[in-house]
Each structure stands twice: as structure tokens, then as C-alpha cells.
Amino acid sequence: MSPADRVAALFAETYGTQPTGVWSSPGRVNLIGEHTDYTGGFVMPLAIEERAYLAARPRSDRRIRAVASGRGLEEVDLDDVGPGRPKGWLAYLSGSAWVAEANAPDGARPGHGWDLALLSDVPVGAGLSSSAAITCATLLAMDELGGWQRPLAELARWGQQVENVVVGMPCGIMDQTASLLCTTGTVLFMDTESGAIEHVPWPASSDDAVLLVTNTNAPHVLADGQYADRRRQCEEATDVLGVPSLRSATLADLDSATARLTADQAACARHVITENARVLNVRALLEAGRISDVGPELTASHASLRDDFRVTVPQLDVSVAAALSAGAFGARMTGGGFGGCTIALVRREDIDDTAQAITAAFAVEAFTPPEHFVARPAQGGRRDL
Ligand code: GLA
């Protein structure tokens, strides 16, 4: 049975009726462009094959009921949803209904509840955007059943509002955009200032170069507070530099403002400025089919996230170092940091050796064993049934 059939069956079993439809949206890895999406910068994520599947049926009252495979049934009234409530996974589903109600075109306000069933194989807490996958699948369902036909880029902004307002996570726009707009075989280039996107093909000749993803299984410690802290440092640096966003700042601007910036503010700004330049380089290299040359840019990105932005943990650094020692073209942490995953650009024939080298390095450090999979650029959000 496909995952879409399975979530439809879970729905039917729970509510005694068929869902109106099933939608799904994927998790993502970010090739490059980390911590740039809330300062108007560039990002280059790709969707992964792991997805969240949502079966939905509108209700006539304002109750939201949701069942998730392995988690049982939870419910909340739409009128009880708001900033900080409810907590847990139900926040993403009911928060989507709440944001959709606030944003739906005039005259088309949903004003009703939902019966929902969720099944996701995106690893949770691994920095692979499992929450964006759930939220985007939910918004796709509500958009279609509400008949609003909003552009996907607008649904991505709604998804960001669910995180920012309901969940209280001050994230940027990358994950939701990746989940909804990525296409098979391509990496999504996005200018988060203008909203412009471009699908950059993963070079066909690069059958030999693949992205090995390693979930370090490192516990996320204080991740949300640290994320908000880095974001604030960037905003403070932006103010001191007197630029509209860090996107328009240069290293020369930074040099001339050093005396007015704290060391942390300067380091955060330096990461963002250099990272934006690396994203543009990577886009040009991919367009030129020079896939292996992308490697050093990935490795430089990791060093910048470790030394300037300070969002790595030992597991991420060890994973990257082990991949490089095993001969990877390049490697870096991906996602927000403080745990989560690394990506390594490796020759196809080196996948197993690289994975084993990372696992062995983790054993030496007595870290929890990591998990590995290969990321193939997959399709964004869609209706399945
Ligand atoms: C998290 C956020 C994104 C982005 C990344 C870091 O995944 O949700 O918006 O800021 O961290 O690049």
C-alpha cells in the first residue's frame, strides 16, 4: 500500500468515512545558503523523497480533529487556536486552519473545522523540515478544498506564519518554499528579498556525484532560543551597518563598521555576506555542470557556520571532517544547526565507504550512531488522491 493509501485508510478507520482527498509535501535538505533567508539573502534547497501525507475532509462545525499514525487522536476548537496554542504536532495542522482563515480571500473564509489524518516519513528533529512538510501538505489540502487557488509562494508565506505566530519559531521562508515549489531533478534557487525563484537542474552528467545525508542524531539543545539569538545578532548588525538588509552589505562595509559592532554581530554578518557569495558561486557551477567544484564551497560554508555563525555541534563537525577525510568533494551541516544533518558531496561509488567512515568516527567519539541516506532532488507538494 502506498503512503497515500495508508493515510486514507487511517482516516477511514478513525472517522468512519472516506477523506475528500490526500495531499503530500516533502522535507528538504539545503545545498547551500544557510541562515540567509531572514536577511534577504539567497538559498538553494532541494526536496527529499521523504514526505508528510495528509488526508482531509471539511467539517460543518469549528472542531479540528487530527490523528497521526502512532500518536492517536487530538482535537481543538478553531477558536482556541492562536499564538502559542495548541502545543505539539497539532499546532501545525490547526495553525494552518487558523492562518488560512485569517488570510483566505474575502468571502471565502473557511469558518469551519476539519477532520485530518497525518502520516509522515520525514525524520523529526533532524533539521529536514518535517514541520514545514506537515504544514505545507495541510495548506495544500485547505487551499484546494477551500477553492482559493492561492499561488504556492503565498501558501509558503502562510506556512511561515504558522511557524512564526502559532508555533513561535521565528524562521525564514526557505523551508516552506522548498517543500511547495521544488521539482524533481532540480535544486531551487531563491532570492528571499524579491521572492524570485529558479529551478537549477542537478547536472545530468553528475550521476557520479551524489549527496550523502547523515542524520547525526545529536540532541537539539536550546535550538529555538539560539536560532532567535542569531537572528537578532543579524538584525542588530543590519541596523549598525545602516543597510536595508544584510543582503546589500559588503565585506568592506563590515570592515569600516568593526568598531561599532560587537564581535558576535560582526561574525554573524560576515557569515551571511560570505554565504550569499557562495550561493551565487554554487548556482553558476551547477549551471556550468561543474558539480565536483561545488564541494569546496560546501566545505567553506561549514567552516563559516562553525567559526562565524557558531551553530555547529561536535557531531556536525566530526561528520564533515570524516566525510572529507574519506575523499568527499565537500561537506557541510544543513538546516538550522545545533544538531540535525550534514550533507557530503561524494562519488557514487564512495557512498558506502564515506558513510562507514562517518559512523566509525562517531564510534571513536562515543556519539550516538548516525544514520545515512542519499538525497535525490524530489517533487514538491502535490495532491495524491
Ligand atoms: C531553519 C529555518 C529556515 C532557515 C534555516 C537556516 O531551517 O526554518 O528558515 O533559516 O533554519 O538556514
Side-chain angles (χ1 to χ4, degrees), residues 28 30 33-38 129 169 171-175 227 335-336:
R28 62 101 189 89
N30 189 17
E34 215 66 85
H35 286 282
T36 52
D37 69 339
Y38 44 83
S129 294
M169 160 66 181
C171 67
I173 191 69
M174 169 171 72
D175 303 341
Y227 184 95

